[in-house]
Amino acid sequence: MVGIIDDTCLHYTIGTRIKVGDNYGTVKYVGEVSGYNGIWLGVEWDDPQRGKHSGCHEGKNYFHTQYPNAGSFVRPGKVGPFESLEIAARERYLGYSAESSLDVSLIREAQQKMQASFFEVVGMDKIARKQSKFEQLSEVSVDNCPINEAGYLKDFQVLTTLNVSSTLIWNWKIVADICKQVPTLRDLNLSCNRLVLPTDSQIKELEPAFRNLQCLNLRNCGYNRWGNVTQTAKLWPNIEVLALQENPLTELDVVNCKEIFKNLKELDLHRTKIMDFDQICKLGNICTLKSLNLMENGIEEIKLPDCEPREKLKIFVALEQLNLLYNPIWNEADTFNELDKLSSLKRLNKSPHLKSDFDEMFSKAVGMISQLEMLNKIEVSAEARRDASYDIWKRYAMEWLQAADTPEILYDFYKKHRTYAEIIEKYGSPAEFVVRPKSKQSNLIKIRVYNQQSGEIWEKRVPRMITVQTLQGLIAKRFQTTSSSSSSLPQLSYIDAKYPELVVPMDNSAKTLDFYSVQDGDTVIVK
């Protein structure tokens, strides 16, 4: 029995990954179980529903699981077979079986021993042609294969991208062997594997093998402590892209960028459990970080450290792209005002609030984040920025007027609306805009309609509540600008009589003139 236990322990080291049917697990115990004959493997399953207990049987603790009832005992004979990355790749890309691969190796060995290159086998030319194509593969995917070792990989001469997700790779020594044999490898997908945390001595030994690696995907690899991520990250000194999505992380720590993440440009933390944005701020000292993905994390509020209204923060100094899609963020205006504190933010992804829509969100974001260039992959044009700025100018005019005479209140106003001071510099004080509607006015206003094409001016009294579409119809009839196309109504904008440098497009035909704040004496431009 002792000999059997020794053989099983050698074959199934603690930490070894196994697969039984469609279920993946990690070996936590090898040995006898009280009340049963033979050798058993104590397994912690990736899917806790697959287990029966937490490693305790009849009052005795054999091992411990992270989640309750995620463990069970299985016989070694029920565990599926293992294979090397070499064999898995040949089977998938060349159609080799393990036996045919062995035959080719024997033929090559025979050729060398006999020193007879003319020694041939029927079909060897076909194998050689396949082998040539195999050696030129730049991308290889062998996901869901029972791989637990590298094998011989030096035939991969130009391989840059490798997918070994959902395999049985279980420690960084195996990964280092792969990277060492394939120095051209730049992009590695290790998703859905469980790897033993490397020790400091192992990191010192294995780190040189990872120096060419630039992109690493560790999606759903069971990382629940940020310290385990940063310890492992010491292995990859030149990593630029790191994906950690679907790992149950809840808290982060400030990164020591002298040790790790010296070149990190993209970090994916979507669908983790980081709900507190204060935790995200701990990553702000990664001065090379350009893209951060925080999708589906349950974040409700974005709050950054305080700074002066017209200054930017000295954290996330290189961050250009931020993905906040599908987070239940409740206050859009506050969120965009906070994000204006980031000096380099150009591209933002965010879902509209339930009480908002995309157009409203777009206007707020563009008007409140001064350097924003793209929202949800839609580029911000000069016209869109002008419209959004005018909307912000209008929206907070009354609040600004109430604060204007008290420096302390005005300072707080500018902290809440960081771009407003710049907007005022561009469009002037909104005092007149606020005051005008207070007085009782006629429901009719007199406007000047200017036809850019003919130079003709038409003065017309119209109701304040007339829609842009109705006005377009009147203008088309007056200037005879319509054609056979039903969609050729003239495009309108207007110049504010008080602020002649302010040209406002009237691009929503369903809105009224009152919505656009058109007043007596304003000029409507017909394009």
Side-chain angles (χ1 to χ4, degrees), residues 191 217-221 223 226 241-250 252 266-275 280 283 291-299 321-327 349:
S191 298
N217 192 335
L218 294 175
R219 177 181 66 85
N220 188 18
C221 284
Y223 287 106
W226 183 246
V241 180
L242 178 61
L244 293 168
Q245 66 270 37
E246 297 180 24
N247 285 286
L249 296 164
T250 56
L252 305 176
E266 298 181 26
L267 179 60
D268 190 341
L269 292 172
H270 93 257
R271 212 179 296 163
T272 60
K273 295 184 178 181
I274 305 171
M275 302 174 67
I280 300 299
L283 304 177
S291 176
L292 180 59
N293 188 349
L294 300 173
M295 285 176 60
E296 298 181 84
N297 275 346
I299 297 171
Q321 181 166 337
L322 179 63
N323 192 336
L324 294 172
L325 284 171
Y326 310 119
N327 284 290
N349 296 86

Side-chain angles (χ1 to χ4, degrees), residues 392-438:
I392 295 295
W393 183 78
K394 224 174 30 167
R395 185 189 299 265
Y396 299 111
M398 178 64 75
E399 189 178 345
W400 176 86
L401 190 65
Q402 293 171 345
D405 294 332
T406 309
E408 294 83 4
I409 298 177
L410 186 61
Y411 176 78
D412 288 339
F413 172 85
Y414 284 137
K415 289 187 73 172
K416 284 176 59 181
H417 310 289
R418 290 172 50 85
T419 60
Y420 208 81
E422 183 180 344
I423 291 172
I424 285 180
E425 289 176 1
K426 185 178 294 184
Y427 298 120
S429 166
E432 287 294 322
F433 166 78
V434 174
V435 172
R436 282 189 299 178
K438 287 185 176 180

Side-chain angles (χ1 to χ4, degrees), residues 57-276:
H57 177 67
E58 294 185 354
K60 181 178 179 180
N61 288 316
Y62 291 88
F63 60 98
H64 177 73
T65 61
Q66 180 180 344
Y67 299 102
N69 299 321
S72 66
F73 293 104
V74 298
R75 292 288 192 184
K78 289 191 175 182
V79 176
F82 299 124
E83 65 181 355
S84 69
L85 172 57
E86 176 196 8
I87 296 301
R90 291 185 183 279
E91 288 177 351
R92 183 160 293 189
Y93 288 89
L94 299 182
Y96 283 11
S97 65
E99 291 77 10
S100 65
S101 180
L102 178 62
D103 291 342
V104 173
S105 299
L106 290 172
I107 291 167
R108 287 177 177 168
E109 185 178 347
Q111 287 176 325
Q112 291 172 357
K113 285 185 177 180
M114 297 174 63
Q115 296 182 348
S117 58
F118 56 83
F119 179 80
E120 295 182 357
V121 175
V122 174
M124 193 63 183
D125 57 339
K126 187 176 181 181
I127 291 173
R129 287 195 298 272
K130 284 187 176 182
Q131 178 67 23
S132 176
K133 291 180 180 179
F134 184 73
E135 291 171 352
Q136 296 304 311
L137 286 172
S138 61
E139 298 182 12
V140 166
S141 179
V142 284
D143 55 317
N144 293 293
C145 292
I147 298 165
N148 75 340
E149 63 177 338
Y152 181 82
L153 303 175
K154 293 188 177 179
D155 283 341
F156 290 116
Q157 298 174 7
V158 294
L159 182 64
T160 60
T161 303
L162 176 62
N163 179 4
V164 284
S165 60
S166 300
T167 60
L168 301 180
I169 293 174
W170 63 279
N171 64 55
W172 288 98
K173 186 176 181 180
I174 299 170
V175 185
D177 189 12
I178 295 170
C179 293
K180 186 176 181 180
Q181 292 193 64
V182 189
T184 56
L185 189 62
R186 298 291 180 271
D187 188 335
L188 179 60
N189 187 346
L190 285 168
S191 298
C192 304
N193 290 301
R194 300 289 186 273
L195 294 106
V196 177
L197 187 68
T199 63
D200 288 338
S201 60
Q202 289 172 333
I203 289 171
K204 185 177 181 180
E205 174 190 353
L206 301 177
E207 178 270 332
F210 293 96
R211 290 178 183 175
N212 292 331
L213 195 64
Q214 296 175 349
C215 306
L216 182 61
N217 192 335
L218 294 175
R219 177 181 66 85
N220 188 18
C221 284
Y223 287 106
N224 61 352
R225 292 181 61 248
W226 183 246
N228 291 347
V229 174
T230 55
Q231 169 72 1
T232 309
K234 297 174 185 177
L235 285 168
W236 336 300
N238 300 313
I239 203 72
E240 295 182 4
V241 180
L242 178 61
L244 293 168
Q245 66 270 37
E246 297 180 24
N247 285 286
L249 296 164
T250 56
E251 296 182 356
L252 305 176
D253 289 311
V254 176
V255 171
N256 182 355
C257 292
K258 292 182 179 179
E259 285 190 347
I260 61 172
F261 299 157
K262 298 175 184 178
N263 302 303
L264 187 66
K265 296 178 182 178
E266 298 181 26
L267 179 60
D268 190 341
L269 292 172
H270 93 257
R271 212 179 296 163
T272 60
K273 295 184 178 181
I274 305 171
M275 302 174 67
D276 185 352

Side-chain angles (χ1 to χ4, degrees), residues 455-500:
E456 186 179 353
I457 294 176
W458 176 39
E459 292 189 353
K460 174 72 174 173
R461 296 182 71 86
V462 294
R464 292 178 183 276
M465 302 308 294
I466 191 175
T467 64
V468 172
Q469 185 176 22
T470 302
L471 181 60
Q472 286 173 318
L474 291 173
I475 291 172
K477 185 176 181 180
R478 174 66 175 78
F479 293 120
Q480 297 183 343
T481 59
T482 54
S483 66
S484 57
S485 172
S486 60
S487 61
S488 62
L489 287 173
Q491 294 181 346
L492 306 181
S493 58
Y494 83 92
I495 298 175
D496 192 304
K498 295 286 185 180
Y499 303 97

Side-chain angles (χ1 to χ4, degrees), residues 336 339-340 345 348 365-372 385 419:
F336 299 143
L339 293 177
D340 183 66
L345 186 64
L348 177 66
V366 174
M368 301 185 76
I369 304 175
S370 57
Q371 68 280 5
L372 193 67
R385 183 165 299 284
T419 60

